[in-house]
Amino acid sequence: MTAPLRLRLDSAALVSNWRHMAKLSGSAACGAAIKANGYGLGSRGVAERLAGAGCRDFFVATWAEAEALADLGLGVSVLHGLRAEDPVDATYARPVLATPEQVRRWKPTGRPCDVMVDTGMNRLGVSAEEVGAGLLDGLAIENLLSHLVSADEDVPLNAKQLAAFGALKGRTQAKRMSLANSAGIALGADYHFDLTRPGIALYGGWQRSGHDAIRQVATPEAQILQRRLVRAGESVGYNATWIAERDTEVATLNLGYADGYLRCFSSKGLASADGVTLPLIGRVSMDLTALDVSALPSLGEGDWVTMSYALPETAALSGLSQYELLTGLGPRYDRIWA
Ligand SMILES: *Cc1c(COP(=O)(O)O)cnc(C)c1O
């Protein structure tokens, strides 16, 4: 059964964005962050396409996310490390070890791992001091990672983290070093090391100037459940936040905040059909949203509209981050790759 809500996904745009980030990464290999179900797009669909394009390094958050991709035989790193509850004998992924406890848990396996070093985020990672004291000795480290705090801003902390991470060069057995996320790649060649880890840019997000090369990948489309004439003076939606100034044709869409289309889009969001822009009116409900469709007399019950969802612009309009816009897209969409 098809859903009354779908997410159009553009394979060519995804691959083009990855190739662009790979090119910007220069001689460094370019991986892909596909945590949170591929930023909401569907991690399997994303991983298959990027692997086909030549991507060899994938990053997920948890072992459950890695297990869901086990049959694809990809190189997957689990960013949240290795808890006591996690499968120390799993072969479909390797942990990004982040604490001395996790190092102790992994070392007896003798198998390859990644390691996260904290250089200022103070979230996950072992310290440079612990590395200096020999914590990682005897580990088969594929990638030594650190993560930038403010790569999307030009602040001194970037250079400070770069220096702290660079100082670890040659101090571990790691085969490769990796620092940059999407925005970090744009900071320049010094930040690329051996492997980059873009996420949001692959999915159409960009937080620095000059994002012309990055293409939109995900576009929500919602079906019209009902069209009605709302008389001047009547209201639409919860709490009557919108009142018709004149007789208005209104379409009710199968889309709401339970689908990640949050209430901040109330009376603000935009959709389109046949090239005509249609403004959202009233409050976004859990499962429904209303549009003023007076401009399109032919649009009716069963027709589909396209939601405006270009990430930089939609983030500015809604106040949500580009990451939230994607990762909040729930399970009720039919995800359709073209
Ligand atoms: C999510 C994540 C990335 C990707 O970040 P983007 O800003 O989406 O490019 C890279 N590295 C780590 C450790 C992450 O958690």
Side-chain angles (χ1 to χ4, degrees):
M1 199 189 320
T2 60
L5 184 61
R6 58 197 182 201
L7 193 60
R8 291 258 177 226
L9 298 165
D10 186 335
S11 301
L14 174 75
V15 168
S16 160
N17 291 341
W18 182 77
R19 293 215 167 104
H20 182 68
M21 299 317 286
K23 196 168 134 212
L24 286 184
S25 300
S27 59
C30 185
I34 58 167
K35 60 201 182 189
N37 196 27
Y39 286 44
L41 277 62
S43 62
R44 174 169 288 267
V46 168
E48 285 172 339
R49 282 163 182 79
L50 294 183
C55 182
R56 293 291 170 264
D57 302 275
F58 295 90
F59 295 88
V60 298
T62 66
W63 285 89
E65 290 181 353
E67 191 183 21
L69 304 171
D71 59 304
L72 297 180
L74 306 169
V76 177
S77 299
V78 179
L79 288 164
H80 291 187
L82 188 78
R83 304 171 306 156
E85 298 92 326
D86 287 329
V88 74
D89 50 355
T91 53
Y92 47 78
R94 59 173 180 263
V96 181
L97 304 175
T99 69
E101 184 61 32
Q102 293 177 10
V103 170
R104 272 190 285 280
R105 208 171 276 138
W106 188 257
K107 216 176 242 178
T109 72
R111 302 214 321 277
C113 61
D114 292 350
V115 173
M116 176 68 73
V117 183
D118 182 66
T119 54
M121 183 72 97
N122 281 306
R123 217 171 49 168
L124 296 178
V126 302
S127 68
E129 291 70 33
E130 286 167 326
V131 174
L135 174 67
L136 308 181
D137 293 356
L139 279 179
I141 306 172
E142 288 290 322
N143 300 309
L144 189 71
L145 273 54
S146 194
H147 195 41
L148 294 165
V149 173
S150 301
D152 55 331
E153 301 177 287
D154 291 312
V155 293
L157 189 48
N158 289 327
K160 197 173 161 204
Q161 286 191 273
L162 175 65
F165 192 55
L168 294 171
K169 241 184 210 168
R171 304 257 316 274
T172 72
Q173 304 296 313
K175 289 188 190 155
R176 300 190 295 183
M177 293 178 71
S178 174
L179 178 63
N181 61 344
S182 300
I185 292 168
L187 292 176
D190 288 351
Y191 288 80
H192 298 164
F193 292 87
D194 307 303
L195 169 68
T196 59
R197 310 186 304 269
I200 193 74
L202 308 179
Y203 311 112
W206 196 247
Q207 290 167 298
R208 305 187 67 94
S209 58
H211 59 264
D212 298 355
I214 297 295
R215 291 162 56 183
Q216 183 174 345
V217 178
T219 307
E221 295 179 346
Q223 198 169 21
I224 295 173
L225 301 176
Q226 187 166 14
R227 177 173 173 131
R228 65 174 59 244
L229 175 65
V230 176
R231 295 288 180 192
E234 290 187 16
S235 65
V236 171
Y238 281 119
N239 302 103
T241 61
W242 186 88
I243 294 171
E245 284 174 12
R246 61 190 78 80
D247 290 359
T248 305
E249 291 286 331
V250 174
T252 304
L253 302 181
N254 184 96
L255 170 71
Y257 58 75
D259 304 301
Y261 199 77
L262 301 187
R263 294 216 315 181
C264 49
F265 283 107
S266 299
S267 294
K268 252 193 208 175
L270 296 168
S272 68
D274 299 332
V276 177
T277 299
L278 305 166
L280 201 149
I281 57 181
R283 237 175 220 168
V284 174
S285 308
M286 186 185 293
D287 319 295
L288 299 169
T289 295
L291 288 182
D292 180 345
V293 292
S294 304
L296 273 183
S298 64
L299 196 68
E301 189 172 327
D303 289 338
W304 290 80
V305 302
T306 301
M307 306 311 295
S308 296
Y309 223 67
L311 293 179
E313 293 79 2
T314 307
L317 177 80
S318 65
L320 297 171
S321 76
Q322 298 180 40
Y323 301 81
E324 291 169 295
L325 287 171
L326 290 183
T327 58
L329 298 168
R332 297 199 289 185
Y333 294 80
D334 281 342
R335 285 165 167 77
I336 300 171
W337 286 95

